[in-house]
Amino acid sequence: MTDDYDETTARLERAVRAAETALIEFEIAVETFRIEVENFSRLHERRLGPLYARLEELDAEIAEAVAARTGDPADQRRAAEARAAVAPMPQVAELFQGWLDGEGFSPEGYAMLTEQSVQEPQRVRPDEEARKLYREVVRECHPDLAADPTERDRRDAFLARVNQAYARGDTEELRALAEEWARGGAGPEPERSRGEELYARLEWLARRKELLADAASALEDSAIGSMLRMAGDDPDLMLAEVAEELRQRVAAREAELAGLLAG
């Protein structure tokens, strides 16, 4: 009876270890994509936002120049609509100067409130070395490896620092964090659960995987997520190509406006 019980428990422990490993790999993939979506969104706004704004302004000025020349009520209505599109009513986020978004304080806003330095990501997708370091550190420090709540909290706090360094593509910081984790150790080994507790652990892991799958689907279905998937292996190149196309459109609109004003 004892041998059968021990073998059953051993199989459960192996199943829990396998489920933990699979979940961590899945979480790494989801978090990697989430960081890329966030970086893509921020760099899209910073690099392309001014160009889109310039195009809107030029469209309004062209429409106003046409209306002034023709005096046509329809042209005047189109000019008023174009001008209104340039200066929409401020939203809550704008009233907070971009510190606040739909999920609460933005990374920049939170950093300012907590007196942390604000660092813009340089690229959407960190380079291969950063990606390799990130995966190695996360596999060691991931909270799902701990059953003890205190140890999970410690790992959560450390993982947040790892995620921030990865989002910036900071390989030196990732190396320093890996060394810090190695020096500090993994904390006390959680006691291996027995019997029903192992089943409960498996059930928790299954629920956690379902939540992650929902989060992954939401990311992939978002507008930015869809754009990022379309970008393929080099989303930074896609941003550069779109920016160049917008600059050409701006130049064409400026030439059109100059012609209208000169005439």
Side-chain angles (χ1 to χ4, degrees), residues 11-197:
R11 285 201 300 272
L12 280 172
E13 289 176 341
R14 289 194 294 271
V16 167
R17 286 196 297 271
E20 287 174 340
T21 299
L23 182 64
I24 288 169
E25 289 299 317
F26 187 35
E27 288 203 45
I28 288 173
V30 173
E31 183 64 13
T32 297
F33 188 60
R34 185 198 67 76
I35 287 171
E36 290 180 5
V37 166
E38 182 176 297
N39 284 355
F40 190 90
S41 177
R42 295 170 70 189
L43 292 175
H44 184 280
E45 180 178 358
R46 180 167 68 85
R47 295 176 185 176
L48 306 186
L51 292 170
Y52 282 118
R54 178 60 178 154
L55 279 172
E56 287 182 352
E57 174 62 29
L58 286 167
D59 285 342
E61 291 182 17
I62 288 170
E64 289 165 346
V66 170
R69 172 177 291 187
T70 66
D72 189 308
D75 288 337
Q76 291 173 347
R77 185 182 65 253
R78 282 190 286 271
E81 291 172 351
R83 176 55 61 192
V86 173
M89 290 296 291
Q91 302 297 313
V92 171
E94 293 168 351
L95 294 175
F96 279 87
Q97 300 180 337
W99 290 8
L100 192 66
D101 58 25
E103 301 298 321
F105 281 102
S106 67
E108 290 84 357
Y110 182 79
M112 287 176 137
L113 289 173
T114 54
E115 298 183 352
Q116 298 176 23
S117 60
V118 178
Q119 291 183 280
E120 188 76 29
Q122 296 302 309
R123 295 172 53 85
V124 172
R125 182 168 294 158
D127 63 27
E128 190 58 37
E129 184 178 6
R131 290 163 68 85
K132 180 175 180 292
L133 284 166
Y134 175 72
R135 295 180 70 86
E136 289 173 353
V137 177
V138 173
R139 286 191 188 105
E140 293 295 324
C141 73
H142 203 282
D144 286 348
L145 290 171
D148 178 68
T150 301
E151 175 63 9
R152 284 182 63 84
D153 289 344
R154 184 177 80 93
R155 287 169 177 259
D156 270 328
F158 188 82
L159 184 58
R161 295 168 59 199
V162 174
N163 287 340
Q164 290 167 7
Y166 177 69
R168 298 191 301 269
D170 192 336
T171 55
E172 292 303 317
E173 178 66 12
L174 286 169
R175 285 196 195 92
L177 287 166
E179 293 171 2
E180 179 182 334
W181 184 259
R183 289 194 304 271
E189 279 291 320
E191 294 183 4
R192 282 294 174 185
S193 302
R194 308 289 288 180
E196 291 82 5
E197 292 181 359

Side-chain angles (χ1 to χ4, degrees), residues 233-247:
D233 293 334
D234 197 344
D236 294 281
L237 177 61
M238 176 183 179
L239 285 176
E241 290 174 344
V242 173
E244 179 56 31
E245 179 185 341
L246 290 174
R247 281 190 285 270

